[in-house]
Amino acid sequence: MGFKAYVARRLVNTVIIVFVTVTLQFFIFRIMPGNPLAHFISPNFPLESRRALMEMWGLDKPMHEQFITYLSNLLTGKLGISFISQRYVIDEVLERLPNTILLMGSSTILMIVLGIHLGVLAGSRRGSKSDLASVTFGLLTQGLPVFFLGLLLMLTFSYYLPVATGGLINFPVAGTVSRPPPADLPRYFMDVLWHLTLPMVTLVIISFGGYTLIVRSLMIDVMAQDYILTAKAKGLPERSIIYGHGLRSILPPISTMVGLSLSGIVGGAVITETIFSWHGIGRYLYEAVLQNDYPVMQGTFFLLSMVTIIANLVVDLIYGLLDPRIRY
Amino acid sequence: MFRSYAVLLILCVTLNTFHMWVASSVPEISKYPINGPRLDEILFVYHATPEAAVAAIRKGDIDILSDIFRPSDVHVLSEDLNLNITFSQQTHYCYVAFNTRREPLNDKQFRKALAHLIPREEIASKLFEGIVVTPMLYETSPAFGRWHNPNVATYPYNPTRARQILASGGYGWDKDGKLIGPDSKPLRKVSFISPTQEEAPTSYEIAKLTVEEMKKIGLEVYQEPLSFDSLLTKVLTERSFDIYFLCVSNLGKYPRWLYDYYHSSLDVPDGDNTPGVRDTELDRLLYTFRFESETEEEGERAVWRAQELIADLAARVPVYSRYQIEAYRKGLEGMVEHRGVGYFTSGAFWTYLNLSRVGLPAGGKVKVDVGGRVRTLNPLYGSGAYEQKIITLIYDSLLASDPKTGEIVPYLAEGWKLQNLMVGKSKVQKITFKLARNATWHDGETLTSADIRFSMEYLKQNRVPAFISSLERVINVSDPDPYTLEVTMNGTSFFNLIDVGGIVIIPKHIWKDVSDWRTFQPDREPHPKVKGLTKMVGTGPFILAEEKPGEFWRLRANPNYFKRLPAVKTPVEGVGLEEWSLNLRTFSLIAVPILLVSIGYLILRRRVSTRI
């Protein structure tokens, strides 16, 4: 089978997966216990008001009609109207997406760079102090609960240190920008970076360990291969052996890991976004689940699944470029 | 030398105490309506966690924080010398409800016995450290003022009394101590539904404690923790429960919810009468209170009697009510306590009209924690407590209420006249409002009765859920002249005036072109004529100046507000309380160490000289 036939087959599979995912997303949320009205149960919302809300949301219609409405909302790209805010889901997603991409993108890049670097270092020097330190630190940070680390950093750098140093060290308690933000662009940019620091550091500390441990393990296997021994015998510099021959050959599994983390860049980080009051997709999705806001859940999960499916497709296709042994 | 330092020390302590007393006393305001706003700007900011909000107020990032509910936060904030803490009774309560449709809970005596087994004091002291809640014995708490009937049956924790009630009702115990019914048959196993430990740890513990008490008297009962959604589905829709625990808040100024909670017409799927109460006399009283009482006195009589019957039925038993605990940084004055609401939270309208910085009667800014997610600023849809904090400062109503007594006071309507009429065989009420002549919209347009008429008709025609019950009795609205409005309503209830007087007033010139009120986001669309404004145009004391949804909402004072201050006073010159306090603190910081070092030096010198 040639590359074109492979691509065609993968595309057909992808379309089927998308349809199945979209259908499951509709029914799973409706099977879940509870309904969106639960959050309008208050003396201010008597029974007739709640019934009017059900009509307004279209939940009084038969299931097949709701499913058709849902599909048409996906096809128009509006993704439906949120029950809670009465805004188009796509508008709310686009409002939050830049914040999430900024936080998750920057932290993912940093964690990959740091994780791979430490993993290569540890794997290529097995048994050394740097190996021991990388493994220990990686295991420790990976095991830390994110809410604990996030709160610890927030209270230390945003409250105790500012108070102790008279504001010399002072990170913001909440938000993506100052409230209100600076008017001029350079200061605005710096302000965003200032707000980004703590949530980004939290995510990097929590996540880089996973990369380190996997890359280390892959590197240990690779460094024991005959071709590495040959390279050493040829007298190649160590750097060239490690990065040119060792790292190169473990790129396919690393690219799979990176590909899988792409959906996380769009999906956000619920706990970190909540602790630092970061206006992102993760918290949006979490609140939607709590409030049974079906259109938001359906819309955001649709976007997330699309990103995951496409990322998997792309990773599969570029495998051949990274590993010449793979033939379609 | 000793004498000088002693005088200095006493002076420091006295001045500090005096300063704390001055800063923590809240001024009494007795006449409404009052004029304002005094502040130039209010910035509402969002914090997603209580940790962030508490750190923000301690750090000085914000001035005001409401809805403090964790005892640990109350401790921390109370110790901060820069903050004042207020505790207010609020219209909130948590209750245990029994399904009166099922045996043995269909027996009133049995329910009364169980009601005596709720360890309220233990719950308040053990789970809330005795500071954030108050044990509650009345369905309608004292926070409701005149509507609270204190002379009803109550069920304080008393296991002995519970056993006596059961025994007198024909119940008994077998040789193993298990409860048996009047027919001498063992009682079936009963479930007690509560939220899960993960979702609501305190509610879970309360149910656990109560279940333990019920087991002690020989009842076979087990706790059934369910997710909040499942709980509501079982209780509200399916009615498949025995006993459950839940809380409800923002009950409003009048005990109107009693109708929804106990009238037999609401014993339907999704109706609020979850215990399934069906009592003809109670139905009659609640209907009279809700729809037929022409005066508050008449309504009060009906609802007091209804409360007696409700207490005697013991279908829903109160457990506790949470205080509204709020913190504000020292240096603010003019805050007003709103009965059942607190000082700064949603509904505390007068506070924001009257709030100012100490020594600055007009001007200044405050930063306020908004409390939670602001979902929309559409005044027709944003009914949540957090968005209402902002919306009520932008849009006015025809009438307001005295924060202490709850009495109706004029607002956009300077006066009104009630006429009870007969149309055929039906009683109707005609309410004639006289509007303020100097009220304008934020964009400069004059407010007229056409706007009010438009608002009422628009809300009614579109069946806007939040206003259905307020406007359901409106038959006709007319505007004979720009400052007179006539509303004809079914029935002659005193709630007629309260209902139409409380609806949000929206500008006709903006809303008449709105194609779909549901998706309209007035704060996100620019004003068609006035630059710098959005379509979020109200007549209220503040104008939406800037927002970043999910982050902050900046409101600036409406310079043309119809109740603006008569003349803006110039700021008081010289050192304000804050600076004075700061100087005093700096002075104390220097004086106290000097004093201690001197004392130490003198003691040391005396010892040395004694040895010599």
Side-chain angles (χ1 to χ4, degrees), chain A residues 33-35 37-53 55-57 81-88 92 95-96 99 151 154-155 158-160 162-163 170-181 188 273-275 277 279 283-284 287-292, chain B residues 41 43 45-49 51-53 55-56 58-59 61 80 199 227-230 232-233 236-237 248-252 257 260-261 265-266 268-272 367 373 375-376 381 383 387 463-469 472 516-521 524 546 548-552 554:
Chain A
N35 66 55
L37 271 184
H39 302 278
F40 286 83
I41 292 169
S42 118
N44 304 321
F45 263 86
L47 184 59
E48 65 266 41
S49 299
R50 296 204 290 264
R51 283 181 177 154
L53 274 178
E55 278 174 39
M56 203 174 123
W57 295 337
I81 297 171
S82 161
F83 292 161
I84 302 300
S85 67
Q86 282 298 303
R87 292 185 65 208
Y88 286 109
E92 297 209 307
E95 184 181 285
R96 290 163 172 82
N99 291 336
L151 280 176
M154 193 261 275
L155 290 174
S158 306
Y159 178 67
Y160 290 110
V163 171
N170 186 11
F171 282 94
V173 165
T176 51
V177 282
S178 289
R179 297 144 174 208
Y188 186 92
E273 286 183 5
T274 303
I275 289 170
S277 310
H279 192 54
R283 196 150 54 86
Y284 180 54
E287 284 166 354
V289 172
L290 286 185
Q291 293 168 329
N292 284 301
Chain B
E41 195 175 298
L43 189 73
V45 293
Y46 174 65
H47 298 95
T49 62
E51 286 84 5
R58 291 182 73 196
K59 196 178 165 186
D61 283 356
D80 194 321
E199 213 167 5
S227 71
F228 186 64
D229 281 326
S230 304
L232 286 176
T233 306
L236 201 72
T237 311
V248 62
S249 54
N250 293 325
L251 293 169
W257 86 92
D260 299 281
Y261 272 26
S265 64
L266 273 303
V268 289
D270 294 323
D272 285 318
K367 269 190 178 185
R373 185 183 162 199
R375 303 173 296 190
T376 172
Y381 196 72
S383 57
E387 47 256 30
R463 284 180 51 77
V464 177
F467 299 95
I468 285 178
S469 62
E472 64 184 347
D516 186 353
W517 71 269
R518 295 167 301 179
T519 51
F520 180 48
Q521 304 293 333
R524 291 161 195 264
E546 186 186 4
K548 191 165 170 55
E551 303 273 352
F552 71 90
R554 189 164 66 84

Side-chain angles (χ1 to χ4, degrees), chain B residues 85-252:
Chain B
I85 304 264
T86 62
F87 288 73
S88 315
Q89 273 201 330
Q90 60 172 338
T91 56
H92 157 278
Y93 84 121
C94 296
Y95 60 84
V96 169
F98 305 114
N99 192 342
T100 64
R101 306 169 195 86
R102 291 183 171 186
E103 281 189 1
L105 297 154
N106 57 352
D107 178 4
K108 190 163 77 177
Q109 290 299 101
F110 186 77
R111 296 197 298 270
K112 285 184 176 181
L114 295 191
H116 277 294
L117 296 172
I118 301 167
R120 295 178 184 79
E121 300 293 337
E122 190 185 353
I123 289 167
S125 59
K126 192 175 166 184
L127 302 177
F128 297 101
E129 297 185 26
I131 47 174
V132 293
V133 305
T134 178
M136 191 164 154
L137 292 168
Y138 302 99
E139 177 106 13
T140 307
S141 74
F144 281 93
R146 69 184 294 178
W147 306 105
H148 161 64
N149 180 357
N151 306 315
V152 300
T154 56
Y155 306 95
Y157 173 67
N158 189 342
T160 315
R161 179 78 190 118
R163 281 178 179 273
Q164 284 169 355
I165 292 172
L166 287 170
S168 66
Y171 293 85
W173 287 266
D174 66 11
K175 57 181 174 26
D176 300 323
K178 287 196 177 154
L179 200 59
I180 50 174
D183 55 359
S184 303
K185 287 180 183 169
L187 295 179
R188 70 175 178 89
K189 211 171 183 179
V190 169
S191 83
F192 191 128
I193 300 178
S194 73
T196 60
Q197 195 167 17
E198 294 73 25
E199 213 167 5
T202 324
S203 299
Y204 175 86
E205 286 300 322
I206 289 165
K208 196 175 160 189
L209 285 173
T210 313
V211 163
E212 290 305 315
E213 292 295 330
M214 289 176 178
K215 279 181 179 168
K216 282 181 195 166
I217 63 148
L219 180 67
E220 275 204 88
V221 56
Y222 64 98
Q223 186 174 356
E224 191 183 349
L226 291 176
S227 71
F228 186 64
D229 281 326
S230 304
L231 189 154
L232 286 176
T233 306
K234 273 204 153 192
V235 165
L236 201 72
T237 311
E238 298 168 0
R239 313 293 213 216
S240 58
F241 69 96
D242 290 323
I243 309 172
Y244 73 90
F245 175 84
L246 213 60
C247 298
V248 62
S249 54
N250 293 325
L251 293 169

Side-chain angles (χ1 to χ4, degrees), chain A:
Chain A
M1 184 169 58
F3 183 68
K4 280 181 187 170
Y6 176 75
V7 171
R9 194 162 61 90
R10 288 290 287 115
L11 282 176
V12 171
N13 281 349
T14 303
V15 171
I16 295 167
I17 291 168
V18 167
F19 184 74
V20 171
T21 312
V22 159
T23 310
L24 280 177
Q25 276 167 6
F26 177 81
F27 287 104
I28 282 174
F29 296 135
R30 276 160 179 78
I31 292 167
M32 274 166 53
N35 66 55
L37 271 184
H39 302 278
F40 286 83
I41 292 169
S42 118
N44 304 321
F45 263 86
L47 184 59
E48 65 266 41
S49 299
R50 296 204 290 264
R51 283 181 177 154
L53 274 178
M54 289 292 271
E55 278 174 39
M56 203 174 123
W57 295 337
L59 292 176
D60 58 329
K61 291 180 183 153
M63 198 66 94
H64 68 274
E65 277 186 41
Q66 290 183 42
F67 185 62
I68 292 166
T69 310
Y70 159 69
L71 287 181
S72 65
N73 282 332
L74 293 185
L75 289 173
T76 55
K78 294 280 187 185
L79 306 181
I81 297 171
S82 161
F83 292 161
I84 302 300
S85 67
Q86 282 298 303
R87 292 185 65 208
Y88 286 109
V89 174
I90 191 67
D91 291 343
E92 297 209 307
V93 165
L94 290 176
E95 184 181 285
R96 290 163 172 82
L97 198 57
N99 291 336
T100 291
I101 290 177
L102 177 68
L103 173 63
M104 297 306 294
S106 58
S107 54
T108 304
I109 290 168
L110 269 180
M111 81 175 80
I112 289 171
V113 170
L114 189 67
I116 292 177
H117 182 75
L118 286 178
V120 168
L121 192 74
S124 59
R125 293 175 191 173
R126 194 181 181 185
S128 66
K129 279 181 185 169
S130 54
D131 178 28
L132 187 70
S134 300
V135 172
T136 311
F137 198 58
L139 280 172
L140 266 179
T141 53
Q142 205 187 10
L144 272 178
V146 66
F147 70 88
F148 172 75
L149 182 69
L151 280 176
L152 190 74
L153 290 180
M154 193 261 275
L155 290 174
T156 307
F157 291 95
S158 306
Y159 178 67
Y160 290 110
L161 278 177
V163 171
T165 61
L168 203 65
I169 299 169
N170 186 11
F171 282 94
V173 165
T176 51
V177 282
S178 289
R179 297 144 174 208
D184 56 306
L185 200 62
R187 279 180 57 214
Y188 186 92
F189 178 73
M190 291 308 292
D191 190 64
V192 171
L193 285 186
W194 183 50
H195 282 78
L196 177 69
T197 309
L198 288 184
M200 186 181 69
V201 168
T202 305
L203 285 172
V204 170
I205 291 177
I206 291 292
S207 314
F208 84 91
Y211 276 92
T212 302
L213 296 175
I214 291 172
V215 172
R216 175 187 175 271
S217 160
L218 292 169
M219 276 303 282
I220 286 171
D221 282 348
V222 165
M223 294 305 281
Q225 297 293 320
D226 290 344
Y227 62 87
I228 298 288
L229 191 67
T230 310
K232 282 179 183 170
K234 277 167 71 180
L236 286 177
E238 190 185 3
R239 192 177 172 77
S240 166
I241 295 168
I242 292 170
Y243 290 99
H245 296 268
L247 181 60
R248 175 84 205 272
S249 60
I250 61 167
L251 277 181
I254 291 177
S255 67
T256 307
M257 284 166 62
V258 173
L260 288 176
S261 57
L262 282 179
S263 65
I265 291 177
V266 181
V270 174
I271 299 171
T272 311
E273 286 183 5
T274 303
I275 289 170
F276 295 99
S277 310
W278 193 263
H279 192 54
I281 298 283
R283 196 150 54 86
Y284 180 54
L285 190 53
Y286 173 67
E287 284 166 354
V289 172
L290 286 185
Q291 293 168 329
N292 284 301
D293 195 343
Y294 299 153
V296 174
M297 288 194 279
Q298 289 160 178
T300 35
F301 275 116
F302 170 73
L303 288 179
L304 292 182
S305 48
M306 288 303 287
V307 172
T308 309
I309 291 166
I310 291 168
N312 273 333
L313 179 69
V314 172
V315 167
D316 280 357
L317 297 182
I318 62 169
Y319 245 54
L321 302 176
L322 296 171
D323 190 344
R325 291 170 300 180
I326 293 171
R327 291 285 174 269
Y328 298 101

Side-chain angles (χ1 to χ4, degrees), chain B residues 343-469:
Chain B
Y343 287 91
F344 302 102
T345 191
S346 171
F349 173 79
W350 298 110
T351 286
Y352 291 106
L353 201 62
N354 196 51
L355 193 68
S356 65
R357 294 262 171 208
V358 172
L360 194 68
K365 302 173 184 181
V366 292
K367 269 190 178 185
V368 185
D369 175 72
V370 79
R373 185 183 162 199
V374 174
R375 303 173 296 190
T376 172
L377 285 186
N378 180 335
L380 272 51
Y381 196 72
S383 57
Y386 310 123
E387 47 256 30
Q388 277 294 314
K389 251 186 197 177
I390 300 170
I391 290 170
T392 51
L393 297 178
I394 294 172
Y395 295 91
D396 281 330
S397 315
L398 284 172
L399 306 172
S401 62
D402 184 298
K404 278 209 176 78
T405 62
E407 189 190 334
I408 302 265
V409 293
Y411 214 74
L412 280 176
E414 286 180 335
W416 61 86
K417 193 172 79 179
L418 301 176
Q419 282 175 280
N420 293 341
L421 309 165
M422 289 298 288
V423 175
K425 286 181 181 175
S426 311
K427 275 185 179 178
V428 296
Q429 191 170 50
K430 187 173 162 190
I431 310 173
T432 308
F433 291 103
K434 284 288 172 193
L435 302 187
R437 287 180 178 261
N438 57 342
T440 56
W441 296 101
H442 293 159
D443 55 10
E445 298 278 333
T446 308
L447 170 91
T448 66
S449 50
D451 290 306
I452 322 279
R453 181 182 170 180
F454 172 81
S455 303
M456 288 185 185
E457 288 176 347
Y458 192 87
L459 296 174
K460 195 170 166 69
Q461 280 161 14
N462 286 293
R463 284 180 51 77
V464 177
F467 299 95
I468 285 178
S469 62

